[in-house]
Amino acid sequence: MSIKYVFKRTGGWLYLNTSLGRHPLRGAGVILMLHRVLNNDRAAELPHRNELCVGPDAFEHLLIWLQRHFECVPLMTLLLADPESVPNRPRVALTFDDGWRDNAMNAFPLLRQYQVPASIFLSTDFVGSRQHFWWESIGETLWGSHGQVARHSLIEHLQHAGRPLPVLLDDIDDERRSLALLHYLQSLKTLDARTLSDLTEACPHGAQPQALDWTQVRMLEDSGLVRFGPHGASHAILTGLDDQRLHEELTRSWTALENGCAQPLPVYCYPNGDNDARVREHVAAHGFPFALGTQAGLYRHDGDPLNLPRFGVSQRNACHPELLAWRIRRGARS
């Protein structure tokens, strides 16, 4: 265990367990960003899954820790609170991006057990379909989850797309190979949407859908613990769309939510967190008073409501919430 790691964990613990440390959080809000809750923790620990996935044990540990140090509230309660009447105890709101099926299967039973509210932001084209998220399909195929024949076939498609695999993706050490895969997947984000779609189609399609269906959405909404908002329709990066396609993406996602939900959230969630002045102007023109980004920071009612800060939750900092506290501390000072 490195000195830096010990320093962060100790600093995070002190931040939330001393009055001096808690002072910067007084009256503030924390918005957490999650994606997936897998059915076991070991699967979530590898680097290429760690940033977007947590396991059930880690997630339960996180919920218990949050209830100890924060008031867990719905997102709209946090956003609409009167700054003059916000309690001294900091508030936290949980958000999930994309609309993964495991949000219902693995996350919701724990949310219900601990009565922690959450908001899920749906990429609406995927809901109720067998369409797959590109990073999951490509990542797991390259990892070998679907066998070596499928892996080698995808490698050929990637070479044709001008993206040959780095040597480290054949490393015999799982940790190094997983880390190399993480960096490689991040590099693919610069490919155009058509190429990514073609590469996804070259991957095997699993027997089960990856995304929630509308029956699950309504079941979660009926619980009173979960609300839903838009995370794009196709998960296209909004900053890369022309005005017409941007309008279509925003309209299609909201229409789907109006048809599928009783009370969709008036909050947009940018795919990949990417936004600029033009995108924010379009989002505002579509009637959204709030939108979520991915920049770390506390919510204090005085920033741009169309680029709200969030702190990402990974398997690592869910297992060791002192690391998350350390990130919140750094965000409080920015």
Side-chain angles (χ1 to χ4, degrees), residues 269-320:
C269 181
Y270 303 115
N272 206 43
D274 291 355
N275 69 93
D276 56 23
R278 180 181 68 95
V279 168
R280 292 193 294 274
E281 183 178 341
H282 275 263
V283 168
H286 277 73
F288 292 98
F290 301 104
L292 296 171
T294 56
Q295 184 177 357
L298 294 175
Y299 176 67
R300 293 192 182 278
H301 305 272
D302 57 358
D304 185 349
L306 293 176
N307 191 19
L308 296 171
R310 292 189 291 173
F311 294 97
V313 176
S314 66
Q315 171 70 6
R316 188 183 188 208
N317 61 29
C319 285
H320 305 289

Side-chain angles (χ1 to χ4, degrees), residues 65-271:
W65 179 84
L66 289 173
Q67 289 188 320
R68 184 180 305 134
H69 295 286
F70 296 87
E71 180 184 354
C72 299
V73 299
L75 179 62
M76 294 309 297
T77 298
L78 187 151
L79 297 180
L80 296 177
D82 181 355
E84 299 300 321
S85 62
V86 172
N88 287 335
R89 193 167 190 239
R91 291 176 165 181
V92 65
L94 269 61
T95 66
F96 289 81
D97 287 9
D98 303 328
W100 294 90
R101 193 176 186 87
D102 55 46
N103 292 177
M105 306 300 292
N106 302 326
F108 178 67
L110 289 166
L111 293 172
R112 181 176 55 195
Q113 178 180 343
Y114 291 96
Q115 287 297 292
V116 174
S119 301
I120 299 176
F121 291 88
L122 302 171
S123 294
T124 53
D125 286 356
F126 294 82
V127 180
S129 80
R130 292 186 177 272
Q131 185 176 348
H132 283 203
F133 296 107
W134 71 262
W135 56 93
E136 174 75 8
S137 294
I138 294 174
E140 290 307 313
T141 302
L142 290 177
W143 186 248
S145 300
H146 304 299
Q148 289 305 307
V149 173
R151 182 174 186 269
H152 289 304
S153 175
L154 178 59
I155 289 172
E156 290 183 6
H157 282 83
L158 286 162
Q159 288 172 336
H160 289 312
R163 296 301 176 96
L165 262 64
V167 174
L168 279 175
L169 271 175
D170 288 317
D171 199 301
I172 61 172
D173 180 82
D174 281 354
E175 190 76 14
R176 288 195 299 266
R177 185 160 58 96
S178 178
L179 188 59
L181 178 55
L182 169 64
H183 294 320
Y184 182 73
L185 290 173
Q186 290 172 339
S187 76
L188 296 184
K189 290 181 179 180
T190 58
L191 290 173
D192 62 87
R194 170 69 67 180
T195 300
L196 287 172
S197 177
D198 290 343
L199 290 169
T200 304
E201 284 301 310
C203 299
H205 289 181
Q208 291 294 324
Q210 292 182 329
L212 294 165
D213 59 41
W214 288 112
T215 299
Q216 290 171 316
V217 167
R218 286 186 285 272
M219 180 271 291
L220 293 175
E221 193 177 41
D222 288 346
S223 73
L225 276 178
V226 181
R227 290 186 66 183
F228 292 89
H231 187 51
S234 67
H235 202 276
I237 305 304
L238 301 185
T239 52
L241 304 180
D242 60 30
D243 286 349
Q244 180 179 347
R245 287 194 60 207
L246 177 56
H247 173 78
E248 291 170 353
E249 187 80 12
L250 295 172
T251 301
R252 193 163 80 248
S253 60
W254 182 247
T255 299
L257 278 164
E258 282 191 310
N259 291 333
C261 296
Q263 194 177 11
L265 289 164
V267 183
Y268 212 87
C269 181
Y270 303 115

